[in-house]
Structures are given as C-alpha cells and as structure tokens.
C-alpha cells in the first residue's frame, strides 16, 4: 500500500515545532507532499503570499519553481537551493522514509546578498503591483549569509531526520498492525484448511469453532456442530467426566490423549486429541483431533522423513545447497561444509552463534531477514525468504533460504533447520531478461501496426496494435492460429510465404473478429525466440491507403480527361478561328460577286450556292466554338418553360412522327440567364441523339424542374457544385449505352454512328454550352433501358432592370459616309472587308498591323469616326490598339470583330456591356448594320453628354 506523508507524521506536532522555531529566529518553513499539498506552513514571506501567488503569471512561475525543486530532490541530492524567476532564494530537502521520497521540507524565501531594489521596482511595474507595498515586502525578506544558511541547513537536516524517524516509526506501527491482522486471518485460514480436526471450546465443553476437517471427519455440518457439546460426540467419557477433564486441562495448561467419537451416521472412529488451555476470554481450549489411522501414517512418514533428510543432505552437497541448524535455546548455529564455502568463511573463524550469520548479511537486507527468522520462531509464518550476503572478498551473492521450526509440547521453538542456496546467476539472468522483455514490450507496443510472433501459425506473443486491428482481445489472440486472421481467398498465399520464409512486404486480405474483411499488408522475419526459430509478422491495415489510392486514380483519370478536353478545346477553337477567317473571305466575296452579276446569269445561281455552303460551314464552326467555350453569346433572362414550350413543334418535326414527344414543364420554375440559341443547341442535339437511339417507335420526354445541392451531396458526387439550379432533362426509351461509351460521349469527334452520319460534335457542343453557363450535366443510361441527360443551369436571381420591357429598335440604314480605320492582319479579309465598306459609301483607311494603324491614325489629317479592328493580332490586341488611338482621336467609335471572343473582349465567353462586336464570318449586310449601329449609338451617347453638360 502507498502511504501519504500525512499518514506517517504528526502534522500538528511539526506545525507547532515550526511555529516555535520561527518565533526564535524568524525562520519560515513548510512541509509539502509530492502531490503539492501544503501540510504545514509557517511565516511564509508576504512578497510570495500577497503578491507573487496573487498574480496568475507569477503563480505559474512559482509552480514551475516547485516542480524544478521536486524533480531535482532525491536521496543522492539531499538539498536544493534555487533562485526563483522573481529573484528570491528557496531551499528544499527531501523527506525520505524507509527509502521512499514522501515530500519536501521547504525554507524561504530569503536573500544571500543585498537585493537590487531597482530590479524589484521594475518587476512591480511589469506585473502591476503597488510599488511601495511591494518594496516594503521585499525589505522584510531576511538576508542570510552563507554561514547562516549552512547552520540552518544543518538544523533542517537534523529536523528532517527526526521527521523521517517519526515517520518510520509510524510506518512500522501501521505495517505491524497490518501484519498482526494478516497473521490472524492466516491463522484462521490455516485452521480452517488444516488436515487435522480443530475445536475451540469454552471450559463448559461447548463448541465455539470447528474447521472443515472435523466437519468431514464427523459428518456433521458446521452449524450442527456449533450447537453441540463435547459429550454429544465423545463416547469414552460421560458428560461428568468431560467436565472433570476440562478442569484438569485448565489447571495443567494442556493435555494429549486418545478417545473415540461418534459420526452423524452412528459409526465410531478413533482420535488422538491435543488440548491447549487459553486463559483469555474467561478460559478457552484449543483442541486438535487426529484420526488414529492418520497417526499411523504420520509415524511412517516420520521414518521416511529421516531417510529423506539424509538423501536431501547428499543431494544438497551435489546440488550446492548449504544446510544449517540453529539451537534456539543455546543460540548455537551449525553449518555444513557447503555453507562455509557459500559464505566464504573458514570454519575455524566461525563463531558458531546466530550473530555470526547476521554479520554476513547485506546491511540493507538484515532487517527483513532477521524479521523473517523471528516470525518463523514465533509461529507467525514459515521461513521462506531471500536476501543478499557480502562475502569477505567483497562479492555480493543472492541467497534463497527455506527452514522449518521444531517445537516442544508447549509450542516453544527448539530447533530451526534450513537450507540456503546461491541464486545469484538466476537473479542476474532474471533481471537481464526482465529488462530485455520490458524494452522489447515497449518497442513492441510502440509499433504503428500489429505485431505477432508465431510458431507455425500459432501466436506466441502479440502487441496491442494487433488487438486494435483485428478486434480480438490479447488473451484471445495468444494461442490462436494466426491464419484465422487471414481471409480464405488469400490464405494459401500466406501459407506459401511462411513455408518459403519470404521476408518482403506483400498484401493479403484480413478478417476482423466481427467478420469484416479489410486490405492488409504483411511483412515477416524469421527470428530466434525463447530457444526456437519463430516468425515475427507485422500487420498493417491499409484500408486508408487503398481508399486514397483509389481516389487518386479517379482524380488522375478526371485530370487526364479534363486535360484532353482542354487540349481538344484549344485545338477546336484555333481551327474554328482560322476557318472563320477563310469563311469570311468566301462569304464576303461571294456576296460582293452576287451584287455585281445579273440574277438571270447561270453563274449567279452557282455563286449563291457557294455562299449558302459557306454559311452552313459557319454553323459548324459555331459548334466547334461552343465546345471550346469561346463563342460569342448574348445571354438573356429566360423562363425555360416558355423557351422549351415554343420549340416543341419544331422538335417534333425533327424527331419524326413515329416517336412520341412528351413535354413535362415543372411548376414555379426559377429563371436562368442564358443565350436562347444555346438552349436551341442543347435541345436539338439531345433530341436528335434520342431519335437515333430509338430503333422503331418510342418516346422522348422533356422535363424541367428546380434543384438544389448542398456541400454534403456535392462531396459525394464529383462534378456537382453547391447551389440552386434549374433542371432541363431529355429522356428516351431507346437502346441505352454501355459503360465504355458513357466514358467518351462528351469527347469531340467521338461518335458511334457510321461514317457520314455524324460529326461527333453534338454532345461535345452540349457539354461546352452547359459548362460555359456555369452548369453541369449528368447522364444515366444502361443497355436496353434507355438514356436520360440531365443538365443543370444556375438559377438567376432576378433584378429590377431584367423586368423592364425591351425597347423596339429598327435596324439602322447600312450605308454611310464616315471615315473608318480598318485593322485586320489577314490580308484576304482586309481586302474583302475594305471592298464591303467602300460599297456601303464609307471612306476606308486600311492597315494590316496595329503598328501601321497607329501610324496612319497619327498621319490622318481629318477625323476618324470609327475603328473596326480584329481582336487577336500580332504586336497587340484590338482593345489595346483602341486605347492607343483614342489618345489621338478622343471621339473615336469602336467595333471589334473576331472568329471567337478572347478575354480582352469577353469574360468567360460573355461580352462586356456596351462593347460593339461582330462575329466572323459576316455578310455585307450584317457588317453594314453593325457599323451603323456603332456610329448611331456613339452619336446618341455624345448628344446625351452634351445635354447633361
């Protein structure tokens, strides 16, 4: 049992001593136990109690000081003098009782030199103390010389010795009481478990206690016996003779005789009775009763014991046992030859007394070994102990000793005979083994995985990690066949590796106690363990690794897909841009040629077909630009129900009369902001694909609705973004698609149709349009079960200006007379556009590069009314060019043209408000309308500014 310091010393007594000491020499002191409890305290300085301990920051420093002192106090370092962070000196000494450090005796605070008041004034300011009161408290702290401190420490050392002695005395008193109680309990247990029968009776012959042995001998229960009198069991003596016999025993103190008793079943048995009279409690008799048959057996056993003792002596001689015998009454000790060799003592120098044995016992073990002898002689316990001896040559040996005590008829010890044997090597080996096992166990349990040591599969030892991984308790794992922790599908692989002694990491499938399977990494080594070759295995649950690996593979796949789509998108955008330039030349020149030729001429019809083919090709480029997300769009706030509803008749004609078109508009649909033409693209492409997937007759369903997705849902559905969306879904009951087709359907130029039946841009266009508008698309399809495309477009939060009706405007006259600066790096387009503008009546200043355009703008004497420029050009882009020329012509209007809209014109494919833009390719009529629109808009803006000024 671990005692507390307050259990072992008289706290009030030492508090009184410390108070008196303080009155004599102003000596502050305190006794503190190892838990930090202050048991006594006298005259602790005000600077500590009223200042430092009242401030939380200071108090933490004080606690750290106490912990430092406690950590550095021990039996080998019996005093610590320590200057605390606040500038005062503390001293402490350990209180050690029976080798255990129970607490510390503190003195302080004090100074060993005159204090630096400036330091303490600064400290008062730092912690917010009243400086005057703090300095007064500092001046009350005593200043000790080192000589005074040495004197105080000498006194404290003696006082601590008194404390320790007092504590040791109390400790022994407590231990003695516990030992007495333990002995009584043991005495009761011995009596209850004794082979001989036992009674405790009063002087009238009533049974007060019986043991189990007599219960078995008599056949009566304990309860029945305790209600009986000796005469109820005794056959030889009558009740009167029993009473007379009890009186004689009380006078003599003891007696031994033979008699007969009757069992409960009526049978008789012979007993030998030994009685000891106890005068306590008015007189009681302790009786031991032995079956006569047992006595005969005991005599035979004694003879056998004599013979065995001789054999033991011979065995002890050969086994290096030492035999000794102590005559208790004469205190004479006899050793055999081996005892002299064991202790390293000559027989002639051996005193032959009990004290001669004590002289060789190690001082630290003398008390407990002597106590063991006294307890054995007193009958308290058997002599079975161990201790150390110090041989004359200084070597220390560990001894194990056993002895028995023989007694006279009164129970007094006569002889104590025993054997000693040297267990030094065993103790050292055990200590080394324990240290090794503790080190091994610490490393064993510190492993991040499970570790098992097995012999042909049977687990001999394991760590906590294996228990945590498998769900089995440690006791369940020990002795288990480790292959039961491996699933059946990988067990053969593990067995092969065990048999082959494989020592590299490999994977298997584990099975937990609850039947759960999990991925497992195993790594094993063959090692020697407790005298045999075994195998140590490390188990690693790699479930998280596998999940992370799978997620990484999925992310890498998505990244590769995104990179592929991005690369193809850039390619498609570049191709479309260049193609638009060529189409602009074809459409422009064919239009100019048509103006110059009589419509009745055969060539007119051919030119008209060339123009129509070029315009149809322009539609194909718009699809490429939609996929590349670079097409110019004009988004508007729409009600999808109205937009889709207006298209159903056209869509029905597109898919044919054999296919039923169902339109299911959602209620209270949120608005979206998107180019209406893009909705046409989405529906047309999806409905055409649905038509092609239906072999004969079938059904296509279009539906709308509102949808909202939160963070939790989107984290489990890659590609989804939290928010509110409007759903546009197109479903069919056609053939459906296998998984390998679904993985590629949005790739440009991918098609399952035969050559000449499709470009592979339909679904790529849908994908590009949806992504361009901040939405996403999902496909659900299985072979034979049809297909559903679900597109989600972001909800548009309606603003007031979205609700204003659009003003009706007439298209402006395409002809004019103003001066236009035309900039285009493609010479063919530059020439064609110049001819278009000149035919419309404009004066054209043309430039093939931005640098040439700036030079011409500087040299031009008159006003330049409009700049028409390409967006992407060498040297600088169209927007930067416009800024440069604006510095020369502040009233310059601007019209941008491009095959697609770059970031200088549009953000994410949407034009900045107020920017005039024309998409390539264009006709002369389209160009004329856009030029007049740009000039008229700018004139109106100028008029408004003039009015406001």
């Amino acid at each position: 049992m671990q005692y507390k310091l307050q259990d072992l010393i008289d706290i009030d007594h030492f508090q009184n001593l410390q108070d008196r000491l303080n009155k004599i020499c102003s000596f502050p002191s305190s006794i503190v136990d190892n838990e930090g409890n202050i048991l006594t305290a006298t005259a602790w300085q005000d600077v500590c109690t009223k200042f430092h301990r009242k401030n939380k920051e200071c108090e933490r420093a004080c606690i750290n000081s106490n912990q430092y002192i406690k950590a550095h106090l021990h039996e080998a370092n019996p005093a610590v003098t320590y200057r605390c962070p606040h500038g005062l000196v503390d001293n402490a000494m350990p209180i050690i009782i029976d080798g255990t450090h129970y607490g510390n005796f503190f003195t302080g605070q004090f100074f060993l030199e005159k204090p630096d008041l400036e330091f303490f004034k600064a400290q008062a300011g730092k912690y917010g103390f009243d400086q005057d009161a703090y300095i007064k408290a500092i001046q009350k702290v005593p200043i000790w010389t080192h000589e005074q401190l040495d004197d105080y420490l000498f006194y404290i050392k003696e006082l601590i010795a008194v404390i320790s002695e007092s504590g040791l005395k109390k400790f022994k008193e407590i231990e003695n009481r516990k030992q007495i109680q333990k002995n009584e309990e043991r005495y009761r247990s011995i009596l209850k478990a004794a082979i001989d029968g036992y009674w405790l009776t009063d002087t009238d012959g009533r049974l007060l206690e019986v043991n189990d042995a007599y219960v078995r001998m008599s056949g009566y229960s304990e309860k029945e016996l305790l209600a009986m009198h000796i005469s109820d069991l005794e056959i030889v003596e009558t009740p009167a003779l029993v009473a007379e016999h009890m009186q004689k025993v009380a006078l003599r103190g003891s007696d031994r005789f033979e008699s007969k008793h009757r069992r409960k079943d009526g049978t008789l048995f012979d007993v030998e009775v030994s009685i000891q009279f106890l005068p306590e409690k008015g007189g009681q008799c302790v009786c031991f009763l032995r079956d006569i048959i047992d006595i005969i057996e005991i005599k035979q056993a004694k003879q056998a014991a004599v013979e065995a003792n001789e054999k033991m002596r011979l065995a002890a001689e050969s086994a290096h046992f030492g035999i000794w015998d102590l005559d208790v009454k004469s205190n004479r000790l006899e050793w055999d030859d081996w005892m002299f060799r064991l202790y390293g003592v000559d027989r002639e120098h051996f005193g032959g007394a009990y004290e001669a044995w004590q002289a060789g016992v190690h001082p630290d073990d003398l008390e407990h070994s002597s106590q063991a002898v006294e307890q054995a002689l007193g009958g308290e316990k058997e002599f079975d102990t161990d201790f150390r001896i110090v041989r004359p040559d200084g070597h220390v040996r560990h001894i194990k000793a056993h002895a028995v005590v023989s007694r006279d008829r009164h129970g007094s010890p006569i002889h104590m005979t025993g054997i000693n044997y040297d267990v030094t090597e065993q103790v050292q080996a055990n200590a080394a083994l324990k240290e090794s096992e503790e080190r091994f166990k610490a490393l064993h349990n510190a492993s991040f995985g499970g570790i098992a040591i097995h012999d042909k599969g049977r687990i001999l030892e394991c760590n906590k990690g294996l228990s945590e991984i498998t769900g089995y308790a440690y006791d369940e794992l020990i002795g288990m066949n480790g292959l039961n922790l491996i699933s059946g599908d990988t067990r053969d692989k593990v067995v092969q590796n065990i048999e082959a002694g494989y020592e590299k990491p490999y994977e298997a499938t584990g099975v937990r106690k609850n039947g759960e399977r999990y991925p497992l990494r195993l790594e094993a080594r063959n090692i020697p363990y407790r005298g045999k070759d075994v195998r140590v295995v490390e188990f690693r649950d790699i479930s998280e690794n596998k999940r992370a690996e799978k997620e990484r593979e999925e992310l890498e796949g998505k990244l590769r897909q995104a990179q592929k789509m991005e690369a193809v998108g850039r390619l498609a955008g570049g191709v479309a841009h260049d193609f638009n330039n060529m189409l602009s030349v074809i459409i422009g020149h064919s239009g100019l040629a048509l103006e110059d030729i009589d419509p009745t001429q055969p060539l007119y019809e051919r030119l008209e077909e060339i123009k129509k083919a070029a315009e149809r090709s322009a539609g194909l480029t718009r699809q490429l630009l939609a996929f590349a997300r670079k097409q110019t769009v004009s988004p508007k706030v729409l009600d999808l129900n109205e937009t889709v509803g207006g298209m159903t008749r056209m869509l029905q004609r597109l898919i044919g009369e054999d296919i039923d078109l169902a339109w299911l508009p959602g209620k209270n649909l949120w608005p979206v902001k998107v180019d209406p033409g893009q909705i046409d693209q989405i529906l047309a492409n999806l409905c055409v694909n649905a038509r092609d997937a239906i072999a004969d007759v079938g059904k296509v369903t279009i539906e709308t609705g509102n949808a909202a997705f939160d963070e939790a849902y989107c984290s489990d559905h890659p590609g989804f973004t939290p928010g509110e969306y409007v759903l546009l879904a197109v479903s069919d009951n056609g053939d459906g698609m296998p998984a390998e087709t679904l993985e590629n359907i949005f790739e440009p130029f991918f098609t399952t149709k035969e050559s000449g039946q499709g470009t592979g841009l339909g679904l790529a266009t849908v994908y590009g349009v949806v992504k361009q508008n901040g939405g996403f698309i999902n496909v659900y399809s299985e072979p034979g079960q049809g297909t559903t495309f679900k597109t989600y477009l972001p909800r548009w939060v309606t603003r007031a200006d979205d609700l204003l009706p659009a003003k009706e405007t007439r298209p402006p006259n395409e002809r004019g007379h103003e001066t236009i600066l035309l900039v285009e790096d493609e010479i063919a387009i530059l020439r064609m556009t110049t001819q278009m503008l000149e035919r419309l009546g404009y004066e054209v200043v043309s430039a093939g590069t931005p640098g040439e355009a700036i030079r011409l703008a500087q040299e031009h004497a008159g006003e330049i009314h409009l700049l028409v420029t390409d967006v992407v050009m060498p040297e600088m882009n169209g927007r930067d060019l416009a800024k440069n020329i604006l510095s020369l012509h502040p009233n310059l209007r601007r019209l941008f043209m491009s095959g697609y809209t770059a970031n200088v014109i549009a953000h994410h494919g949407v034009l900045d408000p107020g920017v005039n833009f024309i998409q390539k390719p264009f006709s002369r009529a389209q160009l004329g309308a856009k030029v007049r629109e740009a000039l008229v808009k700018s004139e109106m803006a100028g008029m408004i500014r003039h009015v406001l000024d």
Side-chain angles (χ1 to χ4, degrees), residues 18 196 262 303 583 587 888 921:
Q18 290 170 234
D196 293 337
R262 177 181 285 109
Q303 181 59 35
L583 289 174
I587 292 172
L888 302 172

Side-chain angles (χ1 to χ4, degrees), residues 100 176 192 199 369 419 425 538 582 641 717 815 820 825 866:
T100 300
N176 286 339
K192 292 290 286 182
W199 287 348
S369 59
I419 58 172
E425 284 73 17
E538 182 186 47
M582 297 302 102
N641 283 345
H717 294 76
R815 299 190 62 80
I820 296 175
D825 60 312
L866 178 66

Side-chain angles (χ1 to χ4, degrees), residues 776-787:
F776 46 91
I777 183 168
N778 264 12
V779 188
Y780 306 88
S781 183
E782 291 184 16
Q785 301 299 316
T787 302

Side-chain angles (χ1 to χ4, degrees), residues 452-459 481-486 490-504 506 508 522-526 533-537 539:
I453 298 174
H454 72 85
D455 180 15
K456 296 181 177 60
R458 186 174 66 87
I459 297 176
N481 184 345
L483 292 174
N484 292 337
L485 304 176
I486 309 298
T490 58
R491 192 172 294 168
D492 289 344
K493 174 184 177 182
V494 175
V495 171
Q496 290 173 3
N497 287 341
I498 292 173
E499 292 174 349
Y502 189 74
E503 294 190 350
K504 291 182 180 180
Y506 64 96
L522 298 173
E523 185 171 4
R525 294 285 186 278
N526 294 323
D533 290 332
V534 297
R535 195 165 171 86
V536 59
V537 186
F539 290 67

Side-chain angles (χ1 to χ4, degrees), residues 186-211:
R186 187 167 181 269
Y187 160 74
R188 296 291 181 191
S189 299
I190 291 172
L191 290 179
K192 292 290 286 182
I195 297 175
D196 293 337
Y198 158 75
W199 287 348
L200 179 66
T201 72
D202 59 17
T203 53
D204 292 332
R206 288 189 295 268
L207 299 183
L208 305 177
E209 289 182 16
V210 296
N211 70 346

Side-chain angles (χ1 to χ4, degrees), residues 30-330:
S30 177
I31 297 176
V32 181
D33 67 12
N34 282 341
E35 285 73 39
N37 300 310
I38 299 174
L39 306 183
T40 69
T42 300
W44 215 245
Q45 300 296 344
D46 288 350
V47 69
C48 179
T49 58
K50 294 184 179 179
F51 292 94
H52 295 163
R53 288 286 181 167
K54 295 294 185 181
N55 181 281
K56 292 296 183 184
E57 187 176 353
C58 288
E59 186 180 30
R60 282 195 296 271
C62 293
I63 292 171
N64 290 337
S65 296
N66 291 344
Q67 291 174 342
Y68 173 87
I69 291 171
K70 176 183 173 183
H72 288 76
L73 276 177
H74 46 78
E75 199 166 3
N77 185 30
V80 171
T81 300
Y82 173 74
R83 184 183 299 276
C84 76
H86 306 311
L88 286 86
V89 179
D90 293 315
N91 181 268
M93 287 189 174
I95 299 174
I96 297 174
I97 300 173
D98 196 32
T100 300
H101 184 184
Y102 282 92
N104 302 304
F105 190 97
F106 284 87
T107 61
Q109 290 82 19
F110 55 86
F111 293 117
L112 290 173
E113 57 188 16
K114 187 176 180 180
D116 179 1
L117 295 182
E118 293 303 320
F119 168 80
F120 289 102
K121 287 178 181 178
Q123 191 158 264
K126 177 182 178 180
Y127 296 118
F129 299 149
D130 182 309
Q131 188 181 96
D132 292 338
Y134 185 62
I135 295 302
K136 285 181 182 180
I138 290 295
Q139 291 171 338
K140 289 181 181 180
V141 177
I143 303 173
W144 294 354
T145 66
H146 286 281
E147 290 77 10
Q148 287 176 307
L149 177 59
D150 290 341
D151 291 340
Y152 287 144
L153 293 181
F154 178 80
Y155 174 80
I156 294 168
K157 183 177 180 182
E158 295 301 317
L159 180 59
I160 289 175
V162 173
I163 294 174
S164 298
E165 184 177 349
S166 171
L168 182 59
K169 182 179 178 181
K170 187 94 173 267
F171 176 84
K172 288 184 176 179
E173 289 176 357
I174 295 172
E175 288 296 308
N176 286 339
R177 285 198 299 271
K178 287 170 58 180
Q179 189 61 48
I180 291 170
Q181 182 180 358
K182 184 177 178 181
N183 289 340
E184 288 180 351
E185 292 173 355
R186 187 167 181 269
Y187 160 74
R188 296 291 181 191
S189 299
I190 291 172
L191 290 179
K192 292 290 286 182
I195 297 175
D196 293 337
Y198 158 75
W199 287 348
L200 179 66
T201 72
D202 59 17
T203 53
D204 292 332
R206 288 189 295 268
L207 299 183
L208 305 177
E209 289 182 16
V210 296
N211 70 346
D212 293 342
Y214 192 79
V215 168
R216 291 192 297 273
M217 290 166 63
S218 65
Y220 290 101
S221 67
E222 181 180 2
K223 183 177 180 181
E224 290 172 327
L225 288 169
L226 294 181
M228 300 172 74
H229 188 273
I230 292 175
S231 59
D232 296 330
L233 300 166
E234 177 67 48
I235 301 302
V236 176
E237 295 182 350
T238 63
L241 289 174
V242 169
E244 182 181 346
H245 198 163
M246 293 296 289
Q247 293 297 320
K248 291 179 181 179
V249 170
L251 292 173
R252 288 201 301 256
S254 63
D255 194 11
R256 184 185 293 268
F257 58 92
E258 294 182 2
S259 183
K260 283 184 181 290
H261 285 193
R262 177 181 285 109
R263 298 187 179 93
K264 184 177 181 179
D265 62 5
T267 60
L268 304 180
F269 61 99
D270 296 316
V271 293
E272 180 184 47
V273 182
S274 175
I275 301 178
Q276 187 75 31
F277 178 71
L278 302 176
E280 297 89 355
K281 300 180 181 180
Q284 293 180 338
C285 292
V286 175
C287 304
F288 286 94
L289 306 100
R290 179 174 296 178
D291 194 313
I292 294 294
I293 297 175
D294 292 340
I295 295 173
I296 295 170
E297 292 176 352
I298 288 171
K299 289 178 180 179
Q300 295 172 346
K302 283 182 178 179
Q303 181 59 35
V306 171
E307 297 173 357
N309 284 339
E310 179 60 20
K311 292 179 181 179
M312 185 186 75
R313 187 189 67 78
L314 296 173
E317 182 67 22
S318 62
H320 304 293
F321 284 1
I323 301 177
W324 53 271
D325 180 76
L326 174 64
D327 187 325
V328 179
K329 295 190 181 297
S330 65

Side-chain angles (χ1 to χ4, degrees), residues 623 651 654-655 659 681-695 699-700 730-737 741 745-746 750-753 757-766 786-787 789:
Q623 283 190 314
L651 293 172
L654 185 65
I655 64 177
I659 298 174
Q681 283 182 299
I682 292 172
L683 286 173
N685 278 303
L686 293 181
C687 287
V688 167
N689 274 284
R691 177 200 66 193
D692 294 342
I694 298 172
K699 183 176 183 180
V700 175
V730 176
S731 305
D732 66 70
N733 60 353
D735 295 335
M737 291 179 281
T741 301
I745 57 172
F746 292 122
F750 174 80
T751 179
T752 58
K753 300 172 184 176
Q757 294 185 357
T759 63
L761 285 172
L763 292 178
T765 300
V766 173
T787 302
F789 285 86

